[in-house]
Amino acid sequence: MIRRCGNFGFVDDGSGAVYSFNMGAMAGTGGWTPTQFHLRGAGVTTFGWKYMDVNGHRIIPYGSDNDLPGRVMRLLEKFYAGEGIMGKKAGLQWGEGPRLYTDAVDADNSLYRQWLINPELTKELEQADYETQMHRCLIDLCHLEGFWVKFIRNRGARIGEGKILRVEHVPAGKVRFIWRGDNLAPTHAMVSNWPLAEPSVSRVYPLFDPKDPMKYGVSLAYYNVYSYNHDHYSIPRFVGAFDWLELAGTLAPLLATYNANASAISKHIESPNSYWEEQRKRIEDICRRTGEPYTDELLEKFKDDAMEMFAARMSGKENAGKFLHTSQFWNEEARQFEGWKITSIDNKVKEYIEAQVAICKKSEAAATSGFGLDPSLSNLILDTKLGSGSEKLYALKVYNATETCVPDMVLCRPWQQMVEANHPGCGIKVGLYRRQVEAEKNVNPGDRVKANE
């Protein structure tokens, strides 16, 4: 049932939830999302809804409008450097990719990773296309601090020969936890095309149980870097920069719109009344000859068409540099000169654009800080300065020392659980391998970047 008044209305889907919508309100974000959820019979927390009824299940919304992944996508796609920075961050996390290792201790009693090659285990992982699936999970982890995977078990578990065949990435925007009750951890999740959740493409799966990995034929699992004071889902680290990202994405459309309409918004056009009086007489004469009755609407339409044609000759970048000629004549009745007059309006465009550019620069700095990436590593030029080689090297070492251990642990955990389930007690672990970057002065001259150009 839909009830609408103007651009605002309500939708009752019959499942106990009522959605409100505002047509046109989300045009700037690149898509439609419900403006608010009114959940009948649902518990309400201080910061949002506990659950919402969808297709007979109570799911836990992801964000205030149940579309946080979609909002992040639209923000970053609109910000010119958003996905570029995320790609750089993912590349720094990925390094050389996943490898197998065991923990070892050297003579100085320092713990390190002993990298190894295990053909049997490597073949098993490669058959499951683990590198592709892990890299997709890494992209979600960089954007949302969490990701979803699907564990698929073989059928041999029924006769005591259980084995996890593969771990598949599931896009984070397609999965929602199912609410069980207050202070109860979810045991199932729903996969659908959120935020619409069509019943024909919705399916509920149990959550993977690490203590009994062969329990379900197909199960889902959510891995994340915990966000302070947030239950169930993690949120992006740059959530505080959302408003800045929106501002940064408005500069290019603003300038494009101005260039397309520059003259039209900066001129005041004065036309003589005698001109329109002559046109009225001409239209009346045409109507008499054609037998059509004259109305004032005919003159108004002529005025609209004339001004649109006039504006088209003045506005737009294709008309830049052109000039316009007007003439005046002496009106005997009015005892004065009459004619078209065009006056430029000083809109302080230079000051306005400079202010917008300054805001955009501030937005870039705020966004980069929110992403947790040093500007020298993100290739952003702040204050007309690009980081030097030594700055990049130092920033890279600090990043590897402080920003890689936790994401590495979270990202590799599903495949580590697969290895442990299929090969109990083997002691082999999965981790991301990164080469140690050295300063150019410490590298043999023949191996330096410049020597290999």
Side-chain angles (χ1 to χ4, degrees), residues 21 141 185 190 219 250 334 382 400 420:
F21 62 88
L141 183 64
M190 179 184 292
S219 57
T250 60
L382 301 179
N400 285 336
E420 293 173 354

Side-chain angles (χ1 to χ4, degrees), residues 10-41:
F10 295 91
V11 178
D12 187 345
D13 64 359
S15 65
V18 178
Y19 307 86
S20 69
F21 62 88
N22 192 357
M23 294 185 294
M26 301 301 293
T29 61
W32 176 89
T33 59
T35 56
Q36 189 177 4
F37 297 102
H38 299 272
L39 310 183
R40 296 196 296 243

Side-chain angles (χ1 to χ4, degrees), residues 226-395:
Y226 169 71
S227 295
Y228 172 70
N229 204 32
H230 284 269
D231 295 333
H232 309 300
Y233 307 102
S234 291
I235 62 171
R237 292 177 60 181
F238 56 95
V239 64
F242 277 11
D243 292 339
W244 286 110
L245 287 171
E246 289 182 352
L247 282 174
T250 60
L251 179 60
L254 176 71
L255 296 180
T257 302
Y258 174 77
N259 288 337
N261 302 280
S263 297
I265 64 172
S266 60
K267 307 292 183 183
H268 177 65
I269 303 173
E270 299 177 69
S271 60
N273 186 63
S274 57
Y275 173 81
W276 303 114
E277 185 64 25
E278 289 295 328
Q279 298 305 318
R280 184 185 64 79
K281 294 179 180 179
R282 184 178 67 84
I283 295 173
E284 287 178 341
D285 182 59
I286 294 175
C287 289
R288 280 194 298 271
R289 283 183 290 163
T290 59
E292 180 181 353
Y294 170 81
T295 61
D296 290 337
E297 284 77 10
L298 295 175
L299 178 61
E300 294 303 318
K301 184 179 184 304
F302 175 81
K303 289 182 179 180
D304 293 339
D305 294 341
M307 294 311 300
E308 286 183 6
M309 185 180 298
F310 190 79
R313 298 296 185 271
M314 295 180 60
S315 63
K317 58 184 179 182
E318 68 276 3
N319 294 315
K322 292 184 179 180
F323 65 89
L324 183 70
H325 172 264
T326 63
S327 60
Q328 293 185 335
F329 65 94
W330 179 257
N331 188 328
E332 288 289 348
E333 296 181 2
R335 307 296 298 174
Q336 64 180 7
F337 284 99
E338 288 187 356
W340 290 80
K341 182 178 180 182
I342 302 174
T343 306
S344 296
I345 300 175
D346 186 5
N347 290 328
K348 306 293 183 182
V349 174
K350 180 176 181 296
E351 292 82 354
Y352 179 71
I353 293 179
E354 287 178 349
Q356 293 297 322
V357 171
I359 292 174
C360 186
K361 290 182 178 179
K362 175 61 178 176
S363 302
E364 293 174 353
T368 307
S369 299
F371 292 149
L373 200 62
D374 190 280
S376 62
L377 296 179
S378 63
N379 288 339
L380 277 181
I381 302 176
L382 301 179
D383 297 327
T384 67
K385 179 184 178 183
L386 184 63
S388 64
S390 59
E391 288 177 339
K392 289 185 177 182
L393 177 62
Y394 182 76

Side-chain angles (χ1 to χ4, degrees), residues 189-204:
M190 179 184 292
V191 178
S192 189
N193 55 342
W194 304 100
L196 300 179
E198 298 177 15
S200 60
V201 296
S202 300
R203 188 170 180 180
V204 175

Side-chain angles (χ1 to χ4, degrees), residues 45-295:
T45 64
T46 304
F47 302 103
W49 304 106
K50 290 182 179 179
Y51 60 83
M52 57 182 293
D53 294 320
V54 177
N55 302 331
H57 297 275
R58 292 178 172 179
I59 66 99
I60 301 174
Y62 196 174
S64 59
D65 60 355
N66 193 31
D67 192 30
L68 181 60
R71 185 183 181 192
V72 170
M73 177 189 69
R74 292 187 290 270
L75 279 174
L76 294 182
E77 288 180 352
K78 194 173 182 181
F79 177 44
Y80 77 95
E83 288 298 340
I85 295 176
M86 281 300 177
K88 179 73 70 173
K89 183 177 179 179
L92 293 172
Q93 292 284 355
W94 186 253
E96 301 294 322
R99 299 291 187 273
L100 302 177
Y101 72 95
T102 58
D103 290 327
V105 180
D106 61 16
D108 297 329
N109 200 34
S110 297
L111 186 67
Y112 69 98
R113 292 181 174 182
Q114 180 66 52
W115 301 99
L116 57 87
I117 297 176
N118 186 306
E120 178 185 358
L121 190 52
T122 300
K123 181 180 179 181
E124 181 179 311
L125 291 170
E126 288 178 347
Q127 287 178 341
D129 195 20
Y130 81 114
E131 286 187 334
T132 299
Q133 302 302 319
M134 185 181 293
H135 186 264
R136 291 179 179 179
C137 292
L138 174 61
I139 300 302
D140 283 355
L141 183 64
C142 289
H143 285 72
L144 297 169
E145 299 298 307
F147 62 91
W148 285 88
V149 295
K150 182 185 293 183
F151 283 90
I152 301 176
R153 188 207 65 198
N154 68 344
R155 297 182 179 180
R158 299 177 181 177
I159 58 175
E161 297 179 359
K163 182 179 181 180
I164 294 178
L165 295 179
R166 60 187 181 274
V167 179
E168 294 182 356
H169 163 260
V170 182
K174 290 185 174 294
V175 192
R176 300 292 187 271
F177 282 116
I178 293 180
W179 188 78
R180 288 179 59 210
D182 292 329
N183 303 319
L184 294 177
T187 58
H188 291 74
M190 179 184 292
V191 178
S192 189
N193 55 342
W194 304 100
L196 300 179
E198 298 177 15
S200 60
V201 296
S202 300
R203 188 170 180 180
V204 175
Y205 294 92
L207 296 183
F208 178 73
D209 186 358
K211 297 180 181 179
D212 188 2
M214 307 301 171
K215 185 175 182 180
Y216 304 108
V218 180
S219 57
L220 294 172
Y222 178 64
Y223 299 87
N224 64 313
V225 179
Y226 169 71
S227 295
Y228 172 70
N229 204 32
H230 284 269
D231 295 333
H232 309 300
Y233 307 102
S234 291
I235 62 171
R237 292 177 60 181
F238 56 95
V239 64
F242 277 11
D243 292 339
W244 286 110
L245 287 171
E246 289 182 352
L247 282 174
T250 60
L251 179 60
L254 176 71
L255 296 180
T257 302
Y258 174 77
N259 288 337
N261 302 280
S263 297
I265 64 172
S266 60
K267 307 292 183 183
H268 177 65
I269 303 173
E270 299 177 69
S271 60
N273 186 63
S274 57
Y275 173 81
W276 303 114
E277 185 64 25
E278 289 295 328
Q279 298 305 318
R280 184 185 64 79
K281 294 179 180 179
R282 184 178 67 84
I283 295 173
E284 287 178 341
D285 182 59
I286 294 175
C287 289
R288 280 194 298 271
R289 283 183 290 163
T290 59
E292 180 181 353
Y294 170 81
T295 61

